[in-house]
Amino acid sequence: MEKFYIGADIGGTTVKFGMFSRTGEMMEKWEIETRVEDEGVNILPDVAASIEEKRAEKDGNIMGIGIGVPGPVTDEGVVLRCPNIHWPVLHVRSKLVELTGVGNIKVGNDANVAALGEMWKGGGRGFDSIVMVTLGTGVGGGIILGGKMLTGVKGAGGEIGHTKVEWNETEECGCGGKGCLEQYASATGIVRMAKSGLRQDSSLAGIEDMTAKDVLDAAKAGDEYALIITERFAKYLGVALANVAHVVDPEAFVIGGGVSLAGEIIIKKVEKYYNDNVLYALRDKEFRLAELGNDAGIYGAVRMVL
Amino acid sequence: MEKFYIGADIGGTTVKFGMFSRTGEMMEKWEIETRVEDEGVNILPDVAASIEEKRAEKDGNIMGIGIGVPGPVTDEGVVLRCPNIHWPVLHVRSKLVELTGVGNIKVGNDANVAALGEMWKGGGRGFDSIVMVTLGTGVGGGIILGGKMLTGVKGAGGEIGHTKVEWNETEECGCGGKGCLEQYASATGIVRMAKSGLRQDSSLAGIEDMTAKDVLDAAKAGDEYALIITERFAKYLGVALANVAHVVDPEAFVIGGGVSLAGEIIIKKVEKYYNDNVLYALRDKEFRLAELGNDAGIYGAVRMVL
């Protein structure tokens, strides 16, 4: 019988799965709906059933399962709170062992797991210590040092989006704080900055439902106001990553999420502000774009058990 | 023959040594001058000679030597640059193995090593993951996660003093940057803040050669201006430690160095600003004062080889 490994990434809308060979080749991927009702009590049974269905279809053996979840996780695989999928405190690892009969199961925070995936097969290939930052609706962070995820004692390691970068902010971040990186470097943050003080001579002035892509596209086209906003975005992110470098001194930074699709313009500007704000010994780290998109999670998840 | 372990802490003026039993009891300590001339070429031979002298006096065997050095060190014990003691790139570990004939030798950055010492026998006792910050002439930082020093790829992990906490600073930090934590939270930084804008109604106005102790003592005595300065110090340090917590999520913070001798006033204020600026999951970490003073380095150094 063939031997398979499963990587799964539990999100607020879908659970993504990948089936991998022993050597880490992805053989198939699929997804199911995430049923968040009733404190998400169906999620793990659904995951186990979907894996069993695939196993039976292939008539193979499951040798290991790695799972990424959207919240803080301890090294023992206990989730402390997952608001996105309505989980209370839950021992994910032992529950899944019980449901699947597979002993080799590991659970990680989704941002850390995505970082592991990018380091293994994506933008962080060839490195051993990276900081990955995901610029989407929010700003997520995952840190890998010497090949191992930095989890932290409460599973809150790598929460870069909530480091403080501005003292004079008046609006509140989703976390209740003021001046968090997420307020400037997320897609939402870029739009927020662009809308506040929007100049009528900017091409952005005519756009309804402005997106971060609109702002970055306008900047690429030379719109002066959009360039100012992009510069502010890059300055906050560059300084925040400089602060992170002074703490963990990684080899490289990997930038992912929707905002990163703007490409090299982001990397170049962020890198400049980073280098302007770090100690000499920390200059000239590698800056890379993420490459795996939504698959980073399933790659990283399976990597934990391979 | 008795078996001994040595912890040594190389500073800009003296090298401090401790001789320890196998169970980690300090049996004796002593120090020698640090001869920094000629690119510090005499330092390691002096260290080896001093250890051999002590060994011969006790007629014992040296089972291991741990060394702290004032600069970035790789995991292999290579020092990349130590301006304080004039060292160029130097393979400290292999050189000392050659000079002493002892195989079990480890080398660490002095701030990381002091953190390890405080965790083992000082203010960080009972914890496994701590961030230590040393508030002296500068601001040093050492991070221990899961019992292991966070070194970083260029040995610059834990350089908390140069994280940026202020955008509007006009004066330069020693590192060439502007707005580094060190400019506000070191002894030098506290005096700098107090002197700039010094009010004539403050008890500090009459003091020549003002020290950080003067400022903190005046604050304890209720001097309004000194309290404002102390509050600013605590705010910058609290926010900087909050930023660090979002990256590494430790169990506890240990605050050492000359400034920490002011005691609980520091802890209480810093803790308040810390809690005001972290995610819910990171609140209520332990804050402790360092306890080992100048001996933290030799305790941490020997801990590496015990």
Side-chain angles (χ1 to χ4, degrees):
Chain A
M1 274 202 296
E2 259 192 286
K3 291 173 176 172
F4 301 114
Y5 293 79
I6 302 288
D9 183 14
I10 304 182
T13 317
T14 62
V15 183
K16 297 183 178 62
F17 296 88
M19 173 173 265
F20 293 81
S21 69
R22 181 179 214 98
T23 55
E25 299 306 309
M26 192 197 280
M27 305 162 69
E28 199 170 331
K29 62 176 176 172
W30 73 98
E31 56 185 70
I32 63 173
E33 182 199 350
T34 309
R35 291 198 288 153
V36 299
E37 67 272 15
D38 303 327
E39 294 200 313
V41 73
N42 296 308
I43 299 174
L44 291 179
D46 287 355
V47 164
S50 187
I51 291 172
E52 170 54 23
E53 195 180 324
K54 193 61 70 174
R55 190 207 61 73
E57 180 190 319
K58 303 286 182 190
D59 193 24
N61 266 334
I62 307 289
M63 307 303 290
I65 303 171
I67 308 262
V69 301
V73 191
T74 68
D75 283 338
E76 290 74 39
V78 180
V79 160
L80 301 177
R81 220 171 48 103
C82 271
N84 287 357
I85 55 175
H86 303 188
W87 275 352
V89 173
L90 187 62
H91 202 309
V92 177
R93 206 192 77 81
S94 63
K95 185 77 192 161
L96 259 186
V97 168
E98 186 191 317
L99 288 165
T100 62
V102 176
N104 177 22
I105 293 184
K106 293 223 170 106
V107 186
N109 166 267
D110 56 0
N112 290 335
V113 165
L116 192 63
E118 286 288 343
M119 197 173 80
W120 183 37
K121 297 268 191 183
R125 265 193 321 277
F127 301 111
D128 194 40
S129 294
I130 67 165
V131 171
M132 180 171 171
V133 61
T134 302
L135 312 174
T137 313
V139 170
I143 300 177
I144 315 286
L145 298 181
K148 293 181 71 175
M149 291 190 288
L150 195 172
T151 309
V153 296
K154 292 247 179 108
E159 283 284 3
I160 298 167
H162 298 285
T163 57
K164 195 187 192 80
V165 294
E166 175 60 64
W167 294 88
N168 300 315
E169 182 61 50
T170 52
E171 287 183 36
E172 266 191 14
C173 177
C175 75
K178 284 178 183 169
C180 296
L181 174 65
E182 183 161 301
Q183 292 184 278
Y184 314 96
S186 63
T188 326
I190 291 172
V191 170
R192 190 183 70 95
M193 285 194 291
K195 283 186 173 168
S196 142
L198 180 57
R199 279 173 19 190
Q200 291 310 310
D201 66 353
S202 165
S203 62
L204 296 172
I207 300 179
E208 270 182 74
D209 296 329
M210 193 195 301
T211 64
K213 184 171 188 306
D214 293 330
V215 179
L216 295 164
D217 283 349
K220 284 190 212 170
D223 183 281
E224 200 186 318
Y225 178 74
L227 276 166
I228 292 171
I229 299 300
T230 306
E231 213 62 36
R232 280 182 63 193
F233 151 82
K235 187 170 176 177
Y236 284 118
L237 182 55
V239 167
L241 295 184
N243 283 350
V244 173
H246 285 110
V247 181
V248 298
D249 184 10
E251 288 174 284
F253 293 93
V254 177
I255 302 183
V259 173
S260 74
L261 299 177
E264 284 300 320
I265 185 176
I266 303 270
I267 295 283
K268 289 237 168 358
K269 287 185 192 290
V270 172
E271 204 173 349
K272 174 191 170 301
Y273 285 107
Y274 170 84
N275 281 317
D276 285 352
N277 286 284
V278 281
L279 287 177
Y280 184 80
L282 293 166
R283 271 181 216 160
D284 302 319
K285 301 279 185 195
E286 298 291 332
F287 279 75
R288 300 285 167 83
L289 289 166
E291 293 175 4
L292 302 176
N294 289 333
D295 289 348
I298 52 182
Y299 276 104
V302 79
R303 185 73 180 102
M304 292 191 290
V305 293
L306 272 176
Chain B
M1 272 201 299
E2 261 194 284
K3 290 172 177 175
F4 302 115
Y5 292 79
I6 302 288
D9 184 13
I10 304 182
T13 316
T14 62
V15 183
K16 296 183 178 62
F17 296 87
M19 173 173 264
F20 291 81
S21 70
R22 180 180 215 99
T23 55
E25 300 306 309
M26 192 196 283
M27 307 163 67
E28 198 169 332
K29 64 176 176 172
W30 72 99
E31 55 185 71
I32 63 173
E33 183 199 350
T34 308
R35 292 197 290 153
V36 298
E37 67 272 16
D38 304 327
E39 294 198 313
V41 72
N42 297 307
I43 298 173
L44 291 179
D46 286 354
V47 164
S50 186
I51 291 172
E52 170 53 24
E53 196 182 322
K54 192 63 65 175
R55 189 207 62 73
E57 181 190 318
K58 303 285 182 192
D59 194 23
N61 265 335
I62 307 290
M63 307 303 290
I65 303 171
I67 308 262
V69 301
V73 190
T74 69
D75 282 337
E76 289 74 41
V78 180
V79 159
L80 301 177
R81 220 171 48 105
C82 271
N84 288 357
I85 55 174
H86 303 188
W87 275 352
V89 174
L90 187 64
H91 202 309
V92 176
R93 206 192 78 81
S94 64
K95 186 74 193 167
L96 259 186
V97 168
E98 188 191 316
L99 287 166
T100 62
V102 176
N104 177 22
I105 294 183
K106 294 226 170 102
V107 186
N109 168 266
D110 55 0
N112 291 335
V113 165
L116 192 62
E118 286 288 344
M119 198 172 81
W120 183 37
K121 296 269 190 181
R125 265 193 323 276
F127 300 111
D128 194 40
S129 294
I130 67 165
V131 171
M132 179 172 172
V133 61
T134 302
L135 312 173
T137 314
V139 171
I143 301 177
I144 315 287
L145 298 180
K148 292 181 70 175
M149 290 189 288
L150 196 172
T151 309
V153 298
K154 292 249 179 104
E159 283 284 5
I160 298 166
H162 299 284
T163 57
K164 196 187 191 81
V165 292
E166 176 59 64
W167 295 88
N168 300 315
E169 183 60 52
T170 52
E171 286 184 36
E172 267 190 14
C173 176
C175 76
K178 284 178 185 170
C180 296
L181 174 64
E182 183 161 301
Q183 292 184 277
Y184 314 96
S186 62
T188 327
I190 291 172
V191 171
R192 189 183 71 94
M193 285 194 290
K195 283 186 174 169
S196 142
L198 180 57
R199 278 172 22 187
Q200 291 310 310
D201 66 353
S202 164
S203 63
L204 296 171
I207 300 179
E208 267 182 75
D209 295 329
M210 193 196 299
T211 64
K213 184 171 187 305
D214 294 330
V215 179
L216 295 164
D217 283 348
K220 283 190 213 170
D223 183 280
E224 197 186 318
Y225 178 74
L227 276 166
I228 292 171
I229 299 299
T230 305
E231 214 61 37
R232 282 183 62 193
F233 150 82
K235 186 169 177 180
Y236 283 119
L237 182 54
V239 168
L241 296 183
N243 283 349
V244 173
H246 285 109
V247 180
V248 298
D249 183 11
E251 289 174 285
F253 293 92
V254 177
I255 302 183
V259 173
S260 74
L261 299 178
E264 285 300 320
I265 185 177
I266 303 271
I267 296 282
K268 290 240 167 357
K269 287 184 190 291
V270 171
E271 204 172 349
K272 173 190 172 302
Y273 285 108
Y274 171 85
N275 281 317
D276 284 352
N277 286 282
V278 281
L279 286 177
Y280 184 80
L282 294 166
R283 270 179 219 161
D284 302 318
K285 300 281 186 193
E286 298 291 332
F287 280 74
R288 300 284 167 85
L289 289 167
E291 293 174 5
L292 302 176
N294 288 332
D295 289 347
I298 53 182
Y299 275 104
V302 80
R303 185 74 181 102
M304 293 191 289
V305 294
L306 271 176

